[in-house]
Amino acid sequence: MCIRDRVEKCSTGQKQKTAIAVSLVHDPEVIIFDEPTNGLDILAAKTVVDFLRDYRALGKTVILSTHIMSEAETLCDRIGIMLEGRIVDEGSLAELKERWKQPDLGSVFFTIARAKGILKDGASKAVAAAVAGQDQGGSHVQ
């Protein structure tokens, strides 16, 4: 870690770990995390997810904002789907999967985005190709 260094000299992962530690030091009843595993290596990310699951099991409230659907599936009792800054659906994972007839949260998200006209079929194929590592055109999916 970079204890003797100024925070701005720390890596992204070190900054993220520091921010998480600072937010938890006073043992709050409610914690709000925006992308808590952003910038962390896979082992550190698993540690954070495991910790948040344990923290929730202690009766604490964890509010999580994430683009990583597997984290939301693992950690959240209730899920709100946001598109263009608005909550377009919410419910438990089971409720959302049943409502949208999809097997997982990622598929629910993309189905809602298509239904709202935000994600077009061509964009779906570009996303799938980029995820599969087939994007040769230099475009970025954000």
Side-chain angles (χ1 to χ4, degrees):
M1 190 92 180
C2 57
I3 294 181
R4 293 187 181 157
D5 292 335
R6 296 178 64 104
V7 173
E8 59 266 7
K9 291 184 179 181
C10 296
S11 70
T12 300
Q14 290 168 328
K15 288 177 186 175
Q16 186 73 343
K17 290 174 195 173
T18 301
I20 290 169
V22 166
S23 68
L24 297 172
V25 73
H26 63 284
D27 192 30
E29 289 298 313
V30 177
I31 54 175
I32 302 171
F33 281 116
D34 182 20
E35 304 287 349
T37 59
N38 184 40
L40 300 180
D41 64 69
I42 193 165
L43 294 174
K46 181 182 179 342
T47 300
V48 169
V49 169
D50 290 348
F51 171 81
L52 292 175
R53 185 183 308 118
D54 294 346
Y55 203 71
R56 187 185 71 178
L58 293 172
K60 308 289 185 164
T61 300
V62 178
I63 300 172
L64 178 69
S65 171
T66 185
H67 291 90
I68 303 172
M69 299 298 153
S70 61
E71 287 179 5
E73 288 180 330
T74 299
L75 294 171
C76 298
D77 297 320
R78 308 254 342 134
I79 298 168
I81 304 288
M82 288 188 77
L83 291 170
E84 297 182 326
R86 295 175 190 231
I87 295 178
V88 295
D89 204 351
E90 63 89 19
S92 69
L93 177 59
E95 290 168 347
L96 290 168
K97 289 181 352 183
E98 174 61 28
R99 186 175 307 131
W100 293 96
K101 307 292 187 232
Q102 296 299 318
D104 57 61
L105 188 57
S107 297
V108 168
F109 179 86
F110 290 123
T111 300
I112 294 171
R114 271 189 227 94
K116 299 288 183 186
I118 295 168
L119 183 65
K120 309 290 185 227
D121 285 335
S124 301
K125 292 173 186 166
V127 169
V131 169
Q134 300 170 1
D135 182 20
Q136 304 296 322
S139 62
H140 294 74
V141 178
Q142 296 186 20

